[in-house]
Amino acid sequence: MTGRDIAVGPIILLGAPGAGKGTQAKLIAGYYRIPHISTGDILRENVAQGSELGKKAKAVMERGELVSDDLVNAMVADRLNRPDTGRGFILDGFPRTAAQAEWLDKMLAQEGRGAPVVVSVGVRYNQLLQRLTGRRTCPVDGKIYNVYFQPPKNDGVCDLCGTALVQRKDDTEEVISERLRSYERQTVPLVDYYRRQGRLRSVNGELPVEQVTEQIFRAIEGGAAAAND
Ligand code: AP5
C-alpha cells in the first residue's frame, strides 16, 4: 500500500470500546501521512507522566467513566494547534458526548478546516468483551494485538521491537462494563447527530482488519469528494 499526500480534512472514527478504532486509525493515518489523535492515548500519557491533567483523569478512567468535556476539549484544541494537522487528521475516541461534538463543529468552522467525515465502525456487543479482554499493546510503538484474533508471532512480545506486551488497566470485565454503559448513554446519540448532518458513513467492523480498512478508505474518499463539491 503506498501512501497518498492528499488533503483529506478532519476524519472522525466513532465506535464502541473495542470496535477497532485505534487499530484502524493507525493504518489510515499511516497511509495518508496525517496525525492519529487518540484522546485515550493522550490521557494515558498524561496519567503516566503524572501531569495535572493526568492526576485529574486517572481515577475517572480507572472507573471507566468519561473525563470532563472541558478538560478533553482543551486537550484536543491544544493538539490541533500543531502544524502537522494542516492536510487533515484522524480523531479516535473524540468526540464522545454531544457537548464535545458541538464544540468540535464550532471550532472546525471557526478555523475554516472543513466539515469532518464521520465513520462509524459497528461491532456487536457480544464480540466487544472478547476483543477488549484479549487486547495487548506494545508500550514502545503502540502496536495493538489480540490474544484471540491478532496474536503476536511470539507469545507476549511485540513483532516489531520484541518488547513485552502489556494489558490496559481498564480492560478488566468490571471496567469494560462501565465503559460500555458510558458509550451507550453518552456516545451512541452522536450517530444520529452526524446522520442528521448527512456526514455519517457506516462500516462493518466485524470483518477482518484489512477489509474494514478498505471500507474506511472508500468512506473517506467518497466523503472528502462530497465535501469538496
Ligand atoms: P479510549 O482509549 O478511547 O478507549 P475506547 O474508546 O474504550 O476504545 P478502545 O481503545 O478500548 O478500543 P478501540 O476501538 O480503539 O479498539 P482497538 O483498535 O484497540 O478511552 C479510554 C478512556 O479514556 C475512556 O474510558 C475515558 O475515561 C477516557 N477518554 C478518552 N477519550 C475521551 C473523551 N473524548 N471524552 C471523555 N473521556 C475520554 O481494538 C480492540 C481489540 O480488538 C484489539 O485487541 C484488536 O487487536 C482487536 N481488533 C481490532 N479490529 C479487529 C477486527 N477487525 N477483527 C478482530 N479483532 C480486531
Side-chain angles (χ1 to χ4, degrees), residues 98 101-102 188-200:
E102 284 159 14
V188 166
L190 297 190
V191 171
D192 265 347
Y193 174 86
Y194 287 117
R195 187 179 288 126
R196 282 197 302 275
Q197 295 183 352
R199 295 189 196 151
L200 189 78

Side-chain angles (χ1 to χ4, degrees), residues 15-24 26 36 38 40-41 44 61 92-93 96 127-139 142-152 156 164-172 175-176 179-180:
K21 304 181 297 295
T23 301
Q24 294 297 333
K26 285 185 206 318
H36 165 205
S38 155
D41 285 349
R44 279 185 288 279
M61 293 173 77
D92 156 13
R96 59 212 281 168
Q127 295 210 12
L128 296 172
L129 187 64
Q130 208 179 4
R131 284 198 183 188
L132 291 168
T133 53
R135 172 169 50 194
R136 302 290 182 274
T137 313
C138 174
K143 189 165 166 55
I144 301 168
Y145 297 87
N146 192 288
V147 296
Y148 309 112
F149 308 116
Q150 270 110 34
L165 302 178
V166 295
Q167 185 165 22
R168 258 169 58 175
K169 269 203 170 136
D170 59 352
D171 278 346
T172 60
V175 182
I176 291 168
R179 286 163 62 200
L180 291 172

